[in-house]
Amino acid sequence: QYDLVHGHGDYDLECDTSAASPRECAQRIKEFLPHRPSPTAFTRLRRRHLTDDREPLTA
């Protein structure tokens, strides 16, 4: 499933849970949230992969 889940390659933030503890990942997410990009990865993926005749994904 890894290739299917990560095949798009577009992320706002990555946390390597094999190298960082849950607390470190949570801290990284907390510090990231106030500065997240616009548009977000979900929006970019929606624009890239959905056409007007399909129902948009909800995030």
Side-chain angles (χ1 to χ4, degrees):
Q1 290 184 346
Y2 183 89
D3 291 339
L4 178 63
V5 172
H6 296 282
H8 57 80
D10 190 348
Y11 306 97
D12 292 327
L13 174 71
E14 292 185 64
C15 289
D16 183 351
T17 57
S18 69
S21 72
R23 182 176 300 276
E24 291 168 327
C25 289
Q27 184 64 37
R28 188 159 181 215
I29 293 166
K30 179 182 173 185
E31 291 169 357
F32 165 79
L33 286 174
H35 309 287
R36 64 183 162 204
S38 181
T40 66
F42 281 126
T43 300
R44 294 188 304 269
L45 290 169
R46 219 179 274 120
R47 287 178 185 163
R48 190 178 315 146
H49 294 287
L50 292 182
T51 61
D52 292 340
D53 60 337
R54 292 176 48 189
E55 187 68 26
L57 299 173
T58 56

